[in-house]
Structures are given as structure tokens and as C-alpha cells.
Amino acid sequence: MDKATVIKSLIYKFTERFSVKCIGLVISIILARLLAPEVFGQLALLTVFTDLSLTLIDGGLNSALVQSKETDERDYSTVFIITLALSVLMIAVLYFAAPVIASFYKSTALIKPLRFYSLSLLFSAFNSIQVARMQRAMRFREMMYCSLAATITAGTLGILLAYMGAGLWALVGYYFTHIAVNCFAMLFANRWVPHGRFSKDSAKRLYGFGIKMLASSMITTIYNDIRPLIIGKKFSTADLGYYERGQRFSTTVSLNLDTAVQSVMFPVMAQAQDDKKQVRAMLRRAQTMGEFIIFPAMVGMAAVAEPMVRLLLTEKWMPCVIFVQILCVAEMQVPLTSSNLVVVKALGRSDILMKQEILRRTLMIIVLLVTVFAFHSVVAIACGFLFSAWLDAFVTSMPVKKLLGYGFADQAKDMWRSALAAVIMGAVVAALNLLNVPDAAKLIIQIITGAAVYAAACWILKVESLRYILNMLKKRGARRAPDKNTEKNINDAH
């Protein structure tokens, strides 16, 4: 696959994720101003169980479809039949388990929303196949349009329901509609319906890779979901709402970079898996560019958290400021962790991925349990996540060291300049919190100053990514210059 196609795909995927998330963030801010923190805590509990169900339904088959060098109609139809059957099964399980779950959290208001929201599993399961097909074809522009349409449609409905006083149902309607509209939009763009037969051979071959991915994904999902389960049970849905909102801000950039990198780089690296030198070069470029973007975004958001939350969400959400700050520092490791995982998966080493996942999540769960039982504080749980997140960056680099000779020490050498520039910028921006001006004016001053300080620091420290971007812009400008001169000469001739 040529470099231009990869770069174009990355641009479309970045545009999709950041445009969708920026619109989604605006929608969530409006919803947060209309709804109570407890409602967001209740939604977090619902999504825990649907996420676990969806992981079981997928079974690693989506990754297997993308990773396979060749796939045919039998593979897609086989996966469709399997996921459809499992979706119906999990919907039935959640329907009968809903009263038990609601009783455990002492909230009967969860029963009907959980039962309704579980129906979204049908759309999610079918959409995962469409996503796999479009990823293999690198059709990220169409995926971008589908996501935008779903976000705008669902957001309009969610805001309308919240304004009418629907409470939890406003959020359930928003997320359910987003999944359903995205599925139908992808169906319209992809024009694919299953028309093959179930194949035992396809199922066996895909599950050979997928079952190991399932183990890895299940461990990851359980780890990610156990924290809101504990906070919701041990503390309150309001505390969970504050934590969830802090996490939402911190992951707006990092999680979308993660999704963009995995969506684009996974199929690209999978096709180049036999050329280790090329894969290493792609990994290094993905990490350095990711760090160049993520570090200042996370440090800057942590520095402006107080005026940002007060301005956007109002005073009732101020307890989430500390979570924004802690979780932003935790999310800075995403470019390292995400890229390391993509490499191992793209090289087809699902055996290593499964063993690594067990080690990663075991360490993280130990840290989580220590913070839960040693401290009666949601802040302590957030700090534990920060520690385990950076520990995770080291653990994920271990197999990359063996496979490509590019371990954590090498990665740290490539990232320290961007990190230092971000810290310098963060210190300057944090000092501007002392300004006695309205929050809106303060944020504008901080953002402009932060961008200028970061750019200057990167230039002084000779950050490679900045120089790479500037060189690309110069080359692009140089290519356009002859065209303009040619046009001018033609006009002069006439």
C-alpha cells in the first residue's frame, strides 16, 4: 500500500474521530447542563453490561477479518450468523438479569432502560462486520460521513429529550440512536448484506485468531468496566457521574487518537507484516506524531480544567475538576500503548497479545484493589489509574522490544522532547489561572499562550515531529508554486 493512501486514510480517520468527538463533546456539554450528575452515573452502569455483552458477541472475529490477508463472502456471512445468534442470546440474558442488576445497585429505574438499550447489540454486531469490510478497503471517508450523520441525528434527539425532562432516557435515546443511525448509514454506504452460507472452515480459521483476541478483549473490557461498577456500588451514582465526566474530557483527544491509529495502522501494518524494518518505521512515526499531539493537549487541558468546567458545565460539576487533571496525565501514555498493541496484533501474534493482556490487567487490577481497599476515596482510585496507565506503557513495550528491537527506552528517547515542551507550556498556562478575568476570556488567553509557548519550546528543543510537519508543508507549497506560475504564464500569454 502506497504512502499517500496511508496518509490520506489517517487524515480522514483523524478528521472523523475529532470532528465526531468535538460535536459529541458539545452535545454532552449541553446534556450535562440539562441533566443531573446522577443520571450520567446511571448510564455508566448500563454501558458496563452492554460493553461486556458486545465483547462476547464480537469474539475477536472483527479483528480476525481485518488481519486476514484474504477474506471471501463465506467469511463475512459466517461471522454475521455467529454474531446475530450471540446478540439475540445476550439480549435475552440482559432482559432477565435487569431486575437483579437494578436490585444490586438499589435503583429500579435501571430495569427498563437496560432492557431497551440492550437491543442496540443487534445494530452494533452487524455494524462491526461493515466496519471490517470498509477498513480493509481503506474507505475512511465514507466512515467519517456515517459517524457525523449519526452523531448529529442522535445529539438532536438526546438534547430534545433532556429538555423535555426525560432524565436517563435522554441519554439512552442518544446513544441508542447513534448506534442505530450509524449502522443504517454504513449499510447504505457499504451496500452489503449477507448472502453466503455458514462455513465451519471459516469459523474455525477465524476463531483460531479471534479466540485469543476475545480473551484479550474480554480482560480489557472487564478491567475498564470494573472501576465504574466499584464506584457505583461503593460510593454513589453522583460520584460515578463526576468521575465519568472527568474521564470524558480526558479521553476526548487520547481515545480518538487511539481509535484513529488502530483503525488505519492495523490493516496497513498487517499488510506489511513480513517487512519488520518497515513496520518499525511506521510504529516510530505513529508514536512520535501521536505524542506531539497528545502531550500538549493533555497537559493543557489539565492546566485549564477549573475555568473550563465552570464555564462549560456550571458550578454543579466542579467536583469533576480533580478527575480531569489526574486522568489527563494518565491518558498521555496512549500513543505508546496503543501503537505497541497494534504492532503485536498486526504481526499476527495473538498468542503474545493474550499473555501480555493477562499480565497487564493483572497488574492493573492489583493497583485498583489496593486503592479501593486502602483508601476510601474516588480520587485515590483515579490516582491508581494514573500509575497503572504508565506502568501499562512499559509492559506493552516489552514484546515490541523482542519483535522489532524498539523497546521502552528507545521510545522514551523519542518522546522526551515533546514531553518537556508540554510541561513548560503547562506551567505557563497554569500560572494564567491567577488572572482576575472572566472564565471565557481566561480560556482564550490560556489557549493562545499555550499554543505559542509549545510551538516555541518544540522549536528550541528541536522536536522531530514539528520539523517533519514543517518540511511537509514546505514541500507541498513548493509543488503548488509551479502550478501557479504556469497559470500566470498562460494568463499573460492570453
Side-chain angles (χ1 to χ4, degrees), residues 215-427:
S216 172
S217 299
M218 200 64 196
I219 294 170
T220 300
T221 304
I222 291 173
Y223 170 74
N224 290 335
D225 290 338
I226 196 172
R227 192 173 288 102
L229 286 175
I230 291 174
I231 296 173
K233 180 63 178 177
K234 190 176 177 64
F235 300 95
S236 68
T237 52
D239 289 323
L240 179 55
Y242 295 132
Y243 183 91
E244 184 274 341
R245 186 51 39 182
Q247 189 175 50
R248 176 66 61 89
F249 273 114
S250 65
T251 57
T252 297
V253 178
S254 64
L255 188 59
N256 289 287
L257 175 68
D258 178 24
T259 303
V261 169
Q262 294 217 28
S263 298
V264 177
M265 300 310 295
F266 178 34
V268 173
M269 288 181 175
Q271 293 182 27
Q273 58 185 280
D274 296 327
D275 188 345
K276 299 294 180 65
K277 186 176 180 180
Q278 183 181 358
V279 172
R280 172 176 169 149
M282 286 190 288
L283 168 63
R284 184 176 181 276
R285 179 61 63 196
Q287 286 191 344
T288 53
M289 288 300 296
E291 294 151 6
F292 180 72
I293 297 169
I294 286 289
F295 284 2
M298 295 293 95
V299 173
M301 189 177 294
V304 304
E306 186 175 337
M308 177 183 69
V309 170
R310 186 166 46 242
L311 176 66
L312 298 180
L313 302 182
T314 71
E315 288 286 343
K316 69 180 180 181
W317 284 97
M318 288 306 289
C320 81
V321 168
I322 185 65
F323 299 118
V324 174
Q325 295 169 332
I326 295 172
L327 297 177
C328 276
V329 179
E331 292 297 321
M332 288 173 65
Q333 47 72 38
V334 166
L336 301 177
T337 305
S338 176
S339 301
N340 287 334
L341 292 174
V342 169
V343 164
V344 178
K345 186 164 63 170
L347 294 176
R349 298 303 303 268
S350 56
D351 55 329
I352 294 178
L353 200 65
M354 181 177 65
K355 294 175 183 177
Q356 179 182 240
E357 200 67 20
I358 293 173
L359 173 61
R360 294 170 62 209
R361 301 313 174 187
T362 299
L363 293 173
M364 289 181 162
I365 289 174
I366 290 173
V367 173
L368 174 61
L369 293 177
V370 169
T371 56
V372 169
F373 291 106
F375 308 94
H376 187 77
S377 168
V378 185
V379 174
I381 293 176
C383 291
F385 176 75
L386 189 160
F387 173 79
S388 60
W390 278 98
L391 176 63
D392 193 32
F394 173 76
V395 173
T396 56
S397 70
M398 289 167 26
V400 178
K401 173 71 174 178
K402 293 181 179 179
L403 294 171
L404 301 176
Y406 188 60
F408 187 79
D410 299 308
Q411 295 172 12
K413 288 178 183 178
D414 287 331
M415 76 175 180
W416 76 267
R417 287 182 173 85
S418 294
L420 179 58
V423 170
I424 294 171
M425 178 271 294

Side-chain angles (χ1 to χ4, degrees), residues 6-23:
V6 175
I7 294 174
K8 188 182 293 184
S9 298
L10 273 170
I11 291 172
Y12 279 130
K13 195 60 187 178
F14 278 128
T15 303
E16 178 224 333
R17 294 314 305 171
F18 286 108
S19 60
V20 167
K21 278 300 177 180
C22 285
I23 296 172

Side-chain angles (χ1 to χ4, degrees), residues 376-482:
H376 187 77
S377 168
V378 185
V379 174
I381 293 176
C383 291
F385 176 75
L386 189 160
F387 173 79
S388 60
W390 278 98
L391 176 63
D392 193 32
F394 173 76
V395 173
T396 56
S397 70
M398 289 167 26
V400 178
K401 173 71 174 178
K402 293 181 179 179
L403 294 171
L404 301 176
Y406 188 60
F408 187 79
D410 299 308
Q411 295 172 12
K413 288 178 183 178
D414 287 331
M415 76 175 180
W416 76 267
R417 287 182 173 85
S418 294
L420 179 58
V423 170
I424 294 171
M425 178 271 294
V428 174
V429 171
L432 294 176
N433 282 317
L434 299 175
L435 291 175
N436 187 22
V437 295
D439 288 330
K442 186 184 296 184
L443 275 174
I444 293 173
I445 294 171
Q446 288 176 311
I447 292 171
I448 294 174
T449 304
V453 170
Y454 182 67
C458 286
W459 180 262
I460 294 171
L461 293 170
K462 298 180 179 180
V463 174
E464 179 184 339
S465 294
L466 176 62
R467 296 179 180 274
Y468 177 78
I469 292 172
L470 292 175
N471 287 334
M472 285 188 65
L473 293 175
K474 287 180 181 178
K475 290 179 181 178
R476 187 174 181 180
R479 285 197 300 267
R480 287 183 174 182

